[in-house]
Amino acid sequence: MTDAPTTPLDDLEPPTVDEPAASARRTDGPRTRWAAIVWGLTFAAIAAAGYGVTSSTRATATLIDTVADAQIGPAVAIGLLVIGGLVAIAGVAGLLRASQRSLATRRLHQSTHESTRQT
């Protein structure tokens, strides 16, 4: 058993919050999820291409014959090309997010007089 004093729950007060910190608001608005937009468009394009290839019986038969006749060299090259494309898409999403952060930082550091000035 401990000798620590106990207080009834009615005597406890909630912690106070500093007024300046509580009144500070974010002015840049909601954040755009660039990765979701870029990857969503990528997968939509892949789905549309897949639908286009498999929409006719002749195109599907050609795809099956091409895959069945594939050799290891071209298959590895196509695999590396696909991986490179996915890395490039991830890079584009990263660049868009970095530019969004840069723009938000620039807006944050502008004074009121500068932000209302028209050029």
Side-chain angles (χ1 to χ4, degrees):
M1 186 132 199
T2 62
D3 293 334
T6 58
T7 14
L9 292 176
D10 295 338
D11 294 340
L12 296 176
E13 294 181 21
T16 58
V17 180
D18 294 328
E19 284 300 318
S23 65
R25 289 190 179 149
R26 221 174 139 183
T27 59
D28 58 344
R31 186 171 79 177
T32 303
R33 304 287 180 163
W34 288 109
I37 293 170
V38 171
W39 284 108
L41 290 173
T42 300
F43 289 131
I46 291 170
Y51 178 75
V53 168
T54 59
S55 62
S56 72
T57 313
R58 184 175 180 192
T60 304
T62 304
L63 177 65
I64 291 170
D65 290 340
T66 303
V67 171
D69 294 338
Q71 296 176 355
I72 191 71
V76 169
I78 290 172
L80 290 174
L81 182 66
V82 168
I83 291 171
L86 294 176
V87 169
I89 291 168
V92 168
L95 287 173
L96 288 170
R97 177 67 183 131
S99 65
Q100 182 183 20
R101 284 183 182 165
S102 174
L103 182 62
T105 303
R106 253 187 278 147
R107 285 182 183 166
L108 181 67
H109 292 298
Q110 280 183 341
S111 68
T112 307
H113 179 55
E114 290 178 39
S115 64
T116 58
R117 185 173 54 195
Q118 303 261 337
T119 57

XYZ file of all heavy atoms in Angstrom:
861
model
N 0.844 -1.172 0.000
C 0.000 0.000 0.000
C 0.885 1.228 0.000
O 1.931 1.252 0.627
C -0.887 -0.054 1.227
C -1.887 1.003 1.270
S -3.444 0.193 1.656
C -4.499 1.413 1.139
N 0.460 2.277 -0.688
C 1.258 3.507 -0.753
C 0.692 4.552 0.179
O -0.467 4.496 0.585
C 1.269 4.063 -2.195
O -0.071 4.396 -2.557
C 1.828 3.053 -3.173
N 1.539 5.513 0.497
C 1.110 6.611 1.356
C 0.719 7.849 0.556
O 0.604 8.937 1.104
C 2.248 6.982 2.325
C 2.512 5.852 3.311
O 1.577 5.074 3.574
O 3.650 5.762 3.793
N 0.553 7.716 -0.762
C 0.220 8.867 -1.601
C -1.184 9.353 -1.272
O -2.105 8.551 -1.117
C 0.305 8.482 -3.064
N -1.333 10.671 -1.163
C -2.668 11.191 -0.864
C -3.583 11.032 -2.077
O -3.156 11.115 -3.211
C -2.428 12.660 -0.550
C -1.152 12.998 -1.225
C -0.342 11.727 -1.241
N -4.807 10.791 -1.826
C -5.782 10.663 -2.911
C -6.751 11.825 -2.840
O -7.075 12.329 -1.766
C -6.559 9.347 -2.799
O -7.206 9.297 -1.522
C -5.653 8.156 -2.958
N -7.193 12.255 -3.993
C -8.157 13.352 -4.054
C -9.436 12.835 -4.690
O -9.391 12.047 -5.625
C -7.631 14.491 -4.954
O -6.539 14.067 -5.710
C -7.322 15.723 -4.211
N -10.548 13.313 -4.242
C -11.793 12.912 -4.871
C -11.854 13.454 -6.308
O -11.266 14.476 -6.626
C -12.880 13.547 -4.016
C -12.216 14.143 -2.847
C -10.752 14.131 -3.081
N -12.552 12.764 -7.171
C -12.632 13.172 -8.565
C -13.297 14.529 -8.744
O -13.042 15.221 -9.725
C -13.371 12.113 -9.382
C -12.639 10.779 -9.547
C -13.518 9.798 -10.293
C -11.334 10.976 -10.267
N -14.154 14.931 -7.831
C -14.829 16.226 -7.959
C -13.861 17.388 -7.778
O -14.111 18.483 -8.261
C -15.960 16.345 -6.927
C -17.061 15.320 -7.198
O -17.150 14.859 -8.354
O -17.801 14.995 -6.260
N -12.735 17.175 -7.086
C -11.797 18.265 -6.817
C -10.789 18.473 -7.952
O -10.056 19.452 -7.944
C -11.022 17.987 -5.525
C -11.945 18.013 -4.307
O -13.041 18.596 -4.410
O -11.552 17.451 -3.268
N -10.741 17.570 -8.907
C -9.789 17.700 -10.009
C -10.301 18.715 -11.028
O -11.457 18.709 -11.408
C -9.564 16.358 -10.693
C -8.918 15.273 -9.831
C -8.852 13.976 -10.612
C -7.534 15.700 -9.397
N -9.398 19.591 -11.484
C -9.757 20.584 -12.486
C -9.076 20.233 -13.805
O -7.959 19.712 -13.805
C -9.317 21.970 -12.037
C -10.046 22.461 -10.810
C -9.584 23.853 -10.408
O -9.026 24.554 -11.260
O -9.787 24.212 -9.253
N -9.715 20.523 -14.917
C -9.062 20.258 -16.196
C -7.879 21.205 -16.391
O -7.868 22.314 -15.855
C -10.160 20.515 -17.228
C -11.137 21.399 -16.551
C -11.050 21.063 -15.087
N -6.869 20.773 -17.116
C -5.721 21.641 -17.343
C -6.121 22.859 -18.171
O -6.995 22.785 -19.033
C -4.729 20.754 -18.108
C -5.557 19.683 -18.702
C -6.719 19.497 -17.782
N -5.497 23.976 -17.886
C -5.800 25.193 -18.631
C -4.958 25.245 -19.890
O -3.855 24.715 -19.948
C -5.506 26.441 -17.770
O -4.135 26.404 -17.389
C -6.391 26.466 -16.542
N -5.485 25.886 -20.912
C -4.816 25.993 -22.197
C -4.447 27.446 -22.423
O -5.232 28.350 -22.143
C -5.752 25.493 -23.329
C -5.081 25.605 -24.690
C -6.192 24.079 -23.053
N -3.240 27.686 -22.911
C -2.824 29.054 -23.219
C -3.731 29.640 -24.293
O -4.032 28.992 -25.284
C -1.384 29.083 -23.717
C -0.404 28.674 -22.635
O -0.668 28.946 -21.449
O 0.621 28.091 -22.995
N -4.130 30.876 -24.133
C -5.014 31.511 -25.093
C -4.388 31.685 -26.473
O -5.026 31.415 -27.468
C -5.489 32.863 -24.543
C -6.546 32.741 -23.474
C -7.790 32.027 -23.976
O -8.228 32.295 -25.106
O -8.314 31.175 -23.252
N -3.122 32.139 -26.619
C -2.580 32.301 -27.967
C -2.497 30.980 -28.733
O -2.780 30.930 -29.911
C -1.180 32.879 -27.746
C -1.239 33.518 -26.402
C -2.222 32.702 -25.618
N -2.133 29.907 -28.063
C -2.026 28.619 -28.742
C -3.411 28.096 -29.130
O -3.586 27.485 -30.169
C -1.314 27.606 -27.854
N -4.392 28.339 -28.278
C -5.736 27.863 -28.566
C -6.387 28.663 -29.691
O -7.189 28.143 -30.447
C -6.594 27.938 -27.310
N -6.030 29.950 -29.797
C -6.672 30.774 -30.816
C -5.962 30.702 -32.163
O -6.481 31.194 -33.148
C -6.743 32.226 -30.342
O -5.429 32.730 -30.216
N -4.764 30.103 -32.207
C -4.042 29.994 -33.484
C -4.775 29.007 -34.375
O -5.061 27.891 -33.982
C -2.611 29.542 -33.242
N -5.058 29.431 -35.582
C -5.787 28.577 -36.515
C -4.947 28.347 -37.753
O -4.162 29.180 -38.153
C -7.094 29.221 -36.917
C -8.080 29.226 -35.808
C -9.435 29.640 -36.313
N -10.376 29.603 -35.218
C -11.408 30.389 -35.123
N -11.656 31.280 -36.042
N -12.222 30.293 -34.097
N -5.182 27.238 -38.360
C -4.516 26.922 -39.607
C -5.229 27.646 -40.733
O -6.434 27.528 -40.884
C -4.613 25.421 -39.827
C -3.372 24.843 -40.337
C -3.493 23.371 -40.393
N -2.871 22.986 -41.647
C -2.830 21.781 -42.098
N -3.393 20.825 -41.441
N -2.238 21.506 -43.218
N -4.486 28.383 -41.545
C -5.121 29.181 -42.584
C -4.939 28.599 -43.970
O -5.474 29.137 -44.921
C -4.538 30.604 -42.571
O -3.128 30.521 -42.788
C -4.824 31.299 -41.261
N -4.200 27.523 -44.119
C -3.919 27.018 -45.456
C -4.980 26.059 -45.981
O -4.904 25.647 -47.122
C -2.537 26.368 -45.519
C -2.377 25.237 -44.526
O -3.190 25.136 -43.603
O -1.410 24.461 -44.679
N -5.964 25.708 -45.214
C -7.044 24.851 -45.689
C -6.669 23.391 -45.701
O -5.585 22.996 -45.271
N -7.551 22.553 -46.229
C -7.278 21.121 -46.234
C -6.149 20.760 -47.200
O -5.944 21.422 -48.214
C -8.595 20.503 -46.696
C -9.323 21.598 -47.371
C -8.854 22.877 -46.771
N -5.439 19.717 -46.865
C -4.299 19.277 -47.659
C -4.777 18.368 -48.786
O -5.630 17.529 -48.599
C -3.330 18.531 -46.754
C -2.048 18.140 -47.422
C -1.094 17.609 -46.424
N -1.466 16.228 -46.133
C -0.789 15.439 -45.330
N 0.256 15.903 -44.700
N -1.163 14.206 -45.123
N -4.199 18.567 -49.959
C -4.526 17.726 -51.107
C -3.679 16.472 -51.047
O -2.465 16.544 -50.895
C -4.242 18.469 -52.422
O -4.991 19.681 -52.427
C -4.636 17.628 -53.617
N -4.280 15.329 -51.159
C -3.572 14.048 -51.132
C -3.127 13.707 -52.554
O -3.805 13.008 -53.292
C -4.471 12.948 -50.577
C -5.030 13.237 -49.215
C -3.949 13.106 -48.196
N -4.486 13.392 -46.876
C -3.893 13.058 -45.774
N -2.742 12.444 -45.814
N -4.430 13.345 -44.628
N -1.950 14.239 -52.941
C -1.474 14.081 -54.303
C -1.182 12.634 -54.655
O -1.435 12.211 -55.786
C -0.237 14.939 -54.539
C -0.589 16.382 -54.603
C -0.308 17.339 -53.672
C -1.326 17.042 -55.639
N -0.826 18.541 -54.064
C -1.450 18.392 -55.260
C -1.895 16.617 -56.829
C -2.111 19.314 -56.056
C -2.555 17.549 -57.619
C -2.653 18.879 -57.225
N -0.646 11.880 -53.720
C -0.341 10.477 -54.012
C -1.616 9.716 -54.359
O -1.630 8.908 -55.292
C 0.365 9.822 -52.830
N -2.689 9.984 -53.653
C -3.952 9.309 -53.939
C -4.481 9.691 -55.316
O -4.997 8.842 -56.054
C -4.987 9.655 -52.871
N -4.326 10.955 -55.686
C -4.790 11.398 -57.000
C -3.967 10.748 -58.104
O -4.511 10.188 -59.065
C -4.727 12.936 -57.100
C -5.747 13.563 -56.154
C -4.955 13.397 -58.532
C -5.606 15.055 -55.994
N -2.642 10.802 -57.972
C -1.765 10.262 -59.012
C -1.941 8.752 -59.141
O -2.082 8.228 -60.247
C -0.295 10.638 -58.715
C 0.656 9.907 -59.637
C -0.099 12.139 -58.852
N -1.920 8.037 -58.023
C -2.071 6.579 -58.098
C -3.468 6.185 -58.557
O -3.646 5.199 -59.279
C -1.741 5.933 -56.760
C -0.272 5.894 -56.510
C 0.413 6.645 -55.615
C 0.700 5.084 -57.180
N 1.753 6.351 -55.684
C 1.957 5.393 -56.630
C 0.626 4.134 -58.183
C 3.126 4.784 -57.052
C 1.798 3.524 -58.611
C 3.022 3.847 -58.047
N -4.475 6.940 -58.162
C -5.835 6.656 -58.623
C -5.955 6.801 -60.132
O -6.564 5.971 -60.802
N -5.365 7.870 -60.676
C -5.383 8.047 -62.126
C -4.591 6.951 -62.831
O -4.992 6.472 -63.905
C -4.821 9.421 -62.495
C -5.704 10.619 -62.132
C -4.962 11.918 -62.385
C -6.999 10.576 -62.915
N -3.472 6.544 -62.230
C -2.663 5.476 -62.822
C -3.449 4.170 -62.889
O -3.489 3.507 -63.935
C -1.377 5.270 -62.005
O -0.641 6.490 -61.999
C -0.531 4.155 -62.571
N -4.069 3.784 -61.785
C -4.817 2.531 -61.778
C -6.070 2.609 -62.651
O -6.478 1.605 -63.238
C -5.156 2.113 -60.354
C -3.942 1.661 -59.586
C -3.679 2.160 -58.330
C -3.053 0.749 -60.133
C -2.555 1.749 -57.621
C -1.932 0.333 -59.442
C -1.678 0.834 -58.182
N -6.661 3.800 -62.766
C -7.799 3.954 -63.670
C -7.352 3.774 -65.119
O -8.061 3.130 -65.919
C -8.447 5.321 -63.479
N -6.176 4.307 -65.462
C -5.654 4.132 -66.824
C -5.320 2.662 -67.097
O -5.594 2.144 -68.189
C -4.418 5.007 -67.026
N -4.742 1.988 -66.111
C -4.435 0.557 -66.272
C -5.725 -0.243 -66.445
O -5.806 -1.144 -67.293
C -3.608 0.040 -65.077
C -2.210 0.650 -65.109
C -3.533 -1.483 -65.080
C -1.397 0.384 -63.844
N -6.747 0.084 -65.666
C -8.025 -0.620 -65.782
C -8.671 -0.364 -67.141
O -9.217 -1.279 -67.762
C -8.968 -0.196 -64.666
N -8.598 0.875 -67.622
C -9.177 1.191 -68.929
C -8.432 0.444 -70.038
O -9.057 -0.079 -70.970
C -9.134 2.693 -69.174
N -7.103 0.390 -69.934
C -6.323 -0.352 -70.939
C -6.647 -1.841 -70.870
O -6.786 -2.496 -71.907
C -4.833 -0.118 -70.716
N -6.769 -2.370 -69.674
C -7.127 -3.779 -69.528
C -8.498 -4.073 -70.086
O -8.709 -5.105 -70.744
N -9.433 -3.183 -69.869
C -10.774 -3.372 -70.427
C -10.738 -3.305 -71.949
O -11.405 -4.081 -72.631
C -11.734 -2.320 -69.878
C -13.124 -2.441 -70.444
C -13.972 -3.453 -70.026
C -13.567 -1.553 -71.419
C -15.240 -3.586 -70.556
C -14.835 -1.680 -71.957
C -15.670 -2.690 -71.525
O -16.914 -2.816 -72.052
N -9.941 -2.367 -72.468
C -9.828 -2.239 -73.916
C -9.227 -3.477 -74.558
O -9.653 -3.899 -75.633
N -8.241 -4.078 -73.899
C -7.595 -5.270 -74.450
C -8.519 -6.482 -74.367
O -8.565 -7.299 -75.285
C -6.260 -5.543 -73.723
C -5.710 -6.908 -74.058
C -5.246 -4.471 -74.083
N -9.252 -6.605 -73.305
C -10.077 -7.805 -73.118
C -11.512 -7.638 -73.591
O -12.331 -8.536 -73.405
C -10.089 -8.208 -71.632
O -10.612 -7.121 -70.865
C -8.705 -8.578 -71.157
N -11.827 -6.502 -74.201
C -13.215 -6.282 -74.611
C -13.605 -7.085 -75.845
O -14.779 -7.370 -76.046
C -13.470 -4.799 -74.851
O -12.648 -4.337 -75.910
N -12.640 -7.438 -76.668
C -12.984 -8.249 -77.843
C -12.297 -9.605 -77.749
O -11.240 -9.753 -77.146
C -12.561 -7.536 -79.129
O -11.164 -7.556 -79.272
N -12.899 -10.594 -78.363
C -12.357 -11.950 -78.331
C -11.032 -12.028 -79.076
O -10.106 -12.709 -78.627
C -13.366 -12.926 -78.969
O -14.657 -12.666 -78.439
C -12.999 -14.358 -78.686
N -10.931 -11.321 -80.177
C -9.695 -11.344 -80.964
C -8.533 -10.734 -80.182
O -7.429 -11.272 -80.182
C -9.913 -10.594 -82.269
C -8.735 -10.655 -83.185
C -9.052 -9.996 -84.502
N -7.890 -10.061 -85.372
C -7.766 -9.398 -86.474
N -8.752 -8.621 -86.886
N -6.683 -9.505 -87.207
N -8.781 -9.609 -79.511
C -7.717 -8.970 -78.727
C -7.296 -9.853 -77.560
O -6.107 -9.940 -77.230
C -8.180 -7.608 -78.226
N -8.237 -10.528 -76.946
C -7.914 -11.432 -75.842
C -7.083 -12.617 -76.342
O -6.114 -13.022 -75.691
C -9.200 -11.936 -75.162
O -9.973 -10.820 -74.747
C -8.881 -12.791 -73.952
N -7.430 -13.159 -77.483
C -6.660 -14.271 -78.049
C -5.243 -13.837 -78.403
O -4.274 -14.578 -78.164
C -7.369 -14.823 -79.285
N -5.102 -12.634 -78.930
C -3.770 -12.102 -79.246
C -2.948 -11.930 -77.977
O -1.750 -12.253 -77.951
C -3.896 -10.753 -79.983
O -4.706 -10.932 -81.143
C -2.539 -10.212 -80.374
N -3.566 -11.433 -76.907
C -2.867 -11.267 -75.632
C -2.419 -12.618 -75.086
O -1.279 -12.760 -74.618
C -3.769 -10.553 -74.623
C -3.202 -10.376 -73.220
C -1.993 -9.446 -73.243
C -4.260 -9.837 -72.278
N -3.288 -13.626 -75.155
C -2.941 -14.962 -74.657
C -1.786 -15.548 -75.457
O -0.843 -16.124 -74.890
C -4.179 -15.885 -74.684
C -5.187 -15.425 -73.633
C -3.782 -17.335 -74.444
C -6.526 -16.103 -73.724
N -1.810 -15.391 -76.779
C -0.719 -15.897 -77.620
C 0.597 -15.179 -77.321
O 1.657 -15.792 -77.273
C -1.067 -15.738 -79.101
C -2.174 -16.685 -79.532
O -2.397 -17.686 -78.819
O -2.805 -16.410 -80.577
N 0.526 -13.871 -77.108
C 1.738 -13.097 -76.814
C 2.349 -13.534 -75.490
O 3.566 -13.693 -75.377
C 1.405 -11.594 -76.774
O 0.812 -11.217 -78.016
C 2.646 -10.765 -76.530
N 1.519 -13.721 -74.476
C 2.028 -14.149 -73.169
C 2.567 -15.571 -73.245
O 3.611 -15.896 -72.656
C 0.922 -14.017 -72.091
C 1.353 -14.650 -70.783
C 0.572 -12.554 -71.876
N 1.922 -16.441 -73.997
C 2.362 -17.833 -74.112
C 3.686 -17.939 -74.856
O 4.507 -18.812 -74.544
C 1.304 -18.663 -74.806
N 3.934 -17.075 -75.820
C 5.167 -17.104 -76.604
C 6.284 -16.252 -75.998
O 7.342 -16.109 -76.612
C 4.899 -16.623 -78.034
C 3.992 -17.575 -78.796
O 3.923 -18.764 -78.402
O 3.356 -17.136 -79.770
N 6.068 -15.685 -74.842
C 7.059 -14.779 -74.242
C 8.340 -15.527 -73.888
O 8.314 -16.682 -73.458
C 6.474 -14.136 -72.992
N 9.462 -14.838 -74.090
C 10.761 -15.374 -73.721
C 11.255 -14.628 -72.493
O 10.738 -13.557 -72.148
C 11.739 -15.231 -74.881
C 11.309 -16.045 -76.092
C 12.247 -15.821 -77.270
O 13.146 -14.995 -77.205
N 12.017 -16.568 -78.340
N 12.273 -15.170 -71.836
C 12.719 -14.624 -70.560
C 13.330 -13.219 -70.696
O 13.098 -12.353 -69.861
C 13.681 -15.602 -69.837
C 13.934 -15.163 -68.388
C 14.995 -15.688 -70.560
C 12.769 -15.342 -67.517
N 14.103 -12.973 -71.741
C 14.758 -11.670 -71.917
C 13.772 -10.520 -72.034
O 13.829 -9.551 -71.263
N 12.863 -10.582 -72.998
C 11.867 -9.512 -73.106
C 10.955 -9.418 -71.881
O 10.520 -8.327 -71.503
C 11.062 -9.889 -74.347
C 11.977 -10.741 -75.154
C 12.815 -11.473 -74.147
N 10.663 -10.545 -71.232
C 9.814 -10.512 -70.034
C 10.501 -9.755 -68.901
O 9.872 -8.956 -68.197
C 9.459 -11.927 -69.598
N 11.815 -9.988 -68.736
C 12.562 -9.255 -67.706
C 12.612 -7.771 -68.051
O 12.445 -6.903 -67.181
C 13.988 -9.840 -67.550
C 14.866 -8.938 -66.702
C 13.912 -11.230 -66.945
N 12.814 -7.454 -69.322
C 12.851 -6.052 -69.744
C 11.518 -5.354 -69.481
O 11.485 -4.220 -68.995
C 13.219 -5.964 -71.220
N 10.433 -6.031 -69.782
C 9.108 -5.448 -69.536
C 8.865 -5.297 -68.037
O 8.313 -4.288 -67.584
C 8.010 -6.296 -70.205
C 8.115 -6.146 -71.726
C 6.626 -5.892 -69.721
C 7.209 -7.072 -72.496
N 9.294 -6.279 -67.245
C 9.158 -6.167 -65.786
C 9.924 -4.981 -65.237
O 9.421 -4.228 -64.394
N 11.159 -4.792 -65.713
C 11.948 -3.637 -65.264
C 11.325 -2.323 -65.723
O 11.357 -1.324 -64.997
C 13.387 -3.758 -65.770
C 14.224 -4.864 -65.127
C 15.577 -4.969 -65.818
C 14.397 -4.601 -63.641
N 10.757 -2.320 -66.908
C 10.077 -1.123 -67.409
C 8.864 -0.776 -66.543
O 8.643 0.396 -66.214
C 9.640 -1.343 -68.857
C 8.945 -0.164 -69.534
C 9.917 0.988 -69.691
C 8.390 -0.580 -70.879
N 8.112 -1.793 -66.150
C 6.946 -1.562 -65.290
C 7.386 -1.030 -63.926
O 6.803 -0.075 -63.398
C 6.112 -2.857 -65.144
C 5.083 -2.743 -64.034
C 5.436 -3.190 -66.463
N 8.423 -1.618 -63.342
C 8.927 -1.144 -62.041
C 9.424 0.291 -62.159
O 9.150 1.135 -61.295
C 10.027 -2.090 -61.513
C 9.409 -3.432 -61.124
C 10.756 -1.476 -60.327
C 10.429 -4.507 -60.802
N 10.138 0.592 -63.235
C 10.608 1.965 -63.449
C 9.461 2.948 -63.595
O 9.520 4.074 -63.090
N 8.409 2.533 -64.273
C 7.232 3.393 -64.413
C 6.561 3.662 -63.079
O 6.146 4.788 -62.789
N 6.483 2.637 -62.225
C 5.880 2.824 -60.897
C 6.728 3.749 -60.028
O 6.191 4.581 -59.296
C 5.675 1.467 -60.224
C 4.655 0.544 -60.894
C 4.607 -0.806 -60.188
C 3.282 1.178 -60.922
N 8.044 3.618 -60.132
C 8.934 4.513 -59.380
C 8.786 5.948 -59.892
O 8.769 6.906 -59.106
C 10.400 4.026 -59.465
C 11.363 5.065 -58.940
C 10.561 2.722 -58.704
N 8.664 6.116 -61.203
C 8.479 7.459 -61.769
C 7.164 8.080 -61.303
O 7.111 9.274 -60.986
C 8.519 7.388 -63.292
N 6.119 7.273 -61.232
C 4.826 7.777 -60.760
C 4.924 8.191 -59.292
O 4.391 9.235 -58.888
C 3.728 6.720 -60.976
C 3.472 6.554 -62.469
C 2.444 7.094 -60.258
C 2.639 5.357 -62.817
N 5.619 7.402 -58.485
C 5.826 7.769 -57.079
C 6.628 9.058 -56.986
O 6.364 9.909 -56.118
C 6.538 6.639 -56.338
N 7.601 9.243 -57.863
C 8.377 10.485 -57.875
C 7.528 11.690 -58.227
O 7.684 12.766 -57.638
N 6.622 11.534 -59.178
C 5.728 12.638 -59.539
C 4.844 13.010 -58.354
O 4.644 14.189 -58.049
C 4.882 12.256 -60.776
C 3.744 13.238 -60.993
C 5.753 12.192 -62.007
N 4.319 12.017 -57.663
C 3.490 12.294 -56.482
C 4.307 13.002 -55.407
O 3.822 13.935 -54.765
C 2.905 10.994 -55.928
N 5.569 12.596 -55.214
C 6.435 13.260 -54.241
C 6.742 14.692 -54.626
O 6.783 15.587 -53.770
N 6.975 14.939 -55.911
C 7.232 16.304 -56.370
C 6.011 17.204 -56.175
O 6.146 18.369 -55.776
C 7.644 16.305 -57.839
C 9.045 15.798 -58.146
C 9.248 15.698 -59.657
C 10.087 16.720 -57.541
N 4.835 16.682 -56.450
C 3.624 17.469 -56.235
C 3.436 17.810 -54.764
O 3.085 18.936 -54.414
C 2.408 16.713 -56.768
C 2.291 16.630 -58.285
C 1.200 15.652 -58.681
C 2.011 17.995 -58.867
N 3.692 16.854 -53.880
C 3.560 17.104 -52.435
C 4.602 18.106 -51.958
O 4.292 19.001 -51.169
C 3.698 15.773 -51.670
C 3.639 15.934 -50.172
C 2.262 16.384 -49.722
N 2.286 16.591 -48.298
C 1.823 17.671 -47.697
N 1.256 18.635 -48.394
N 1.889 17.787 -46.395
N 5.843 17.991 -52.459
C 6.887 18.937 -52.063
C 6.559 20.346 -52.537
O 6.778 21.322 -51.803
C 8.236 18.490 -52.620
N 6.019 20.476 -53.736
C 5.654 21.809 -54.211
C 4.487 22.373 -53.411
O 4.428 23.573 -53.156
C 5.327 21.778 -55.706
O 4.185 21.005 -55.942
N 3.572 21.512 -52.972
C 2.472 21.982 -52.135
C 2.996 22.479 -50.793
O 2.569 23.517 -50.297
C 1.454 20.866 -51.924
C 0.261 21.288 -51.096
C -0.698 20.150 -50.826
O -0.329 18.986 -50.919
N -1.920 20.471 -50.497
N 3.934 21.755 -50.195
C 4.532 22.197 -48.934
C 5.279 23.508 -49.105
O 5.211 24.390 -48.252
C 5.491 21.135 -48.401
C 4.811 19.968 -47.780
C 5.841 19.011 -47.220
N 5.196 17.854 -46.658
C 5.812 16.745 -46.353
N 7.108 16.636 -46.560
N 5.149 15.724 -45.846
N 6.019 23.637 -50.216
C 6.769 24.860 -50.475
C 5.829 26.055 -50.615
O 6.090 27.134 -50.079
C 7.606 24.692 -51.744
O 8.236 25.889 -52.088
N 4.737 25.862 -51.332
C 3.761 26.929 -51.499
C 3.125 27.303 -50.162
O 2.938 28.479 -49.866
C 2.685 26.507 -52.495
C 1.611 27.537 -52.824
C 2.229 28.764 -53.475
C 0.564 26.922 -53.731
N 2.823 26.321 -49.340
C 2.234 26.596 -48.021
C 3.220 27.341 -47.136
O 2.833 28.253 -46.401
C 1.805 25.294 -47.359
N 4.502 26.985 -47.209
C 5.514 27.682 -46.416
C 5.659 29.120 -46.878
O 5.768 30.039 -46.070
C 6.874 26.958 -46.535
O 6.695 25.613 -46.117
C 7.923 27.617 -45.679
N 5.642 29.338 -48.198
C 5.732 30.699 -48.720
C 4.549 31.539 -48.279
O 4.699 32.702 -47.924
C 5.794 30.669 -50.248
C 7.162 31.007 -50.761
C 7.172 31.147 -52.253
N 7.277 29.807 -52.807
C 6.738 29.420 -53.940
N 6.061 30.259 -54.675
N 6.867 28.199 -54.365
N 3.353 30.963 -48.304
C 2.168 31.705 -47.863
C 2.235 32.032 -46.380
O 1.776 33.084 -45.943
C 0.912 30.894 -48.136
C 0.514 30.878 -49.569
C -0.768 30.105 -49.733
N -1.153 30.020 -51.124
C -2.060 29.204 -51.594
N -2.702 28.404 -50.766
N -2.347 29.183 -52.864
N 2.795 31.114 -45.608
C 2.888 31.310 -44.167
C 3.815 32.460 -43.825
O 3.566 33.216 -42.890
C 3.381 30.018 -43.501
C 3.506 30.033 -41.988
C 2.129 30.153 -41.359
C 4.201 28.777 -41.506
N 4.887 32.627 -44.597
C 5.884 33.649 -44.286
C 5.592 34.996 -44.923
O 6.338 35.944 -44.710
C 7.273 33.162 -44.708
C 7.748 32.016 -43.883
N 7.955 32.112 -42.532
C 8.039 30.734 -44.222
C 8.357 30.949 -42.071
N 8.410 30.086 -43.069
N 4.540 35.121 -45.701
C 4.183 36.417 -46.271
C 3.505 37.269 -45.219
O 2.723 36.792 -44.407
C 3.206 36.249 -47.435
C 3.844 35.858 -48.723
C 2.806 35.798 -49.842
O 1.621 35.707 -49.579
N 3.278 35.843 -51.065
N 3.796 38.549 -45.247
C 3.084 39.446 -44.346
C 1.737 39.778 -44.967
O 1.495 39.541 -46.148
C 3.885 40.719 -44.106
O 3.939 41.485 -45.293
N 0.857 40.386 -44.186
C -0.478 40.716 -44.668
C -0.395 41.684 -45.831
O -1.120 41.572 -46.803
C -1.319 41.331 -43.534
O -1.271 40.459 -42.424
C -2.737 41.534 -43.968
N 0.525 42.641 -45.756
C 0.656 43.645 -46.814
C 1.122 42.982 -48.115
O 0.637 43.313 -49.196
C 1.634 44.728 -46.377
C 1.837 45.795 -47.413
N 0.807 46.504 -47.945
C 2.972 46.253 -48.024
C 1.268 47.364 -48.831
N 2.584 47.225 -48.901
N 2.058 42.060 -48.032
C 2.571 41.389 -49.227
C 1.522 40.481 -49.851
O 1.447 40.380 -51.066
C 3.798 40.558 -48.903
C 5.026 41.369 -48.566
C 6.181 40.469 -48.216
O 6.324 39.419 -48.876
O 6.910 40.780 -47.297
N 0.726 39.815 -49.032
C -0.218 38.842 -49.585
C -1.384 39.517 -50.284
O -2.052 38.895 -51.091
C -0.720 37.916 -48.495
O -1.440 38.644 -47.546
N -1.657 40.788 -50.009
C -2.770 41.471 -50.665
C -2.306 42.303 -51.838
O -3.126 42.882 -52.542
C -3.515 42.380 -49.657
O -2.599 43.319 -49.117
C -4.142 41.546 -48.559
N -1.021 42.417 -52.048
C -0.492 43.234 -53.139
C -0.730 42.545 -54.477
O -0.475 41.373 -54.638
C 1.000 43.474 -52.927
C 1.572 44.415 -53.958
C 2.981 44.762 -53.649
N 3.770 43.557 -53.480
C 4.962 43.516 -52.932
N 5.501 44.605 -52.473
N 5.624 42.389 -52.808
N -1.218 43.288 -55.445
C -1.461 42.762 -56.781
C -0.281 43.100 -57.670
O 0.234 44.198 -57.630
C -2.732 43.405 -57.364
C -3.940 43.202 -56.507
C -4.777 42.076 -57.029
O -4.703 41.740 -58.176
N -5.571 41.479 -56.173
N 0.141 42.137 -58.501
C 1.238 42.408 -59.433
C 0.745 42.510 -60.841
O -0.258 42.045 -61.217
C 2.320 41.302 -59.371
O 1.687 40.066 -59.658
C 2.979 41.297 -58.035
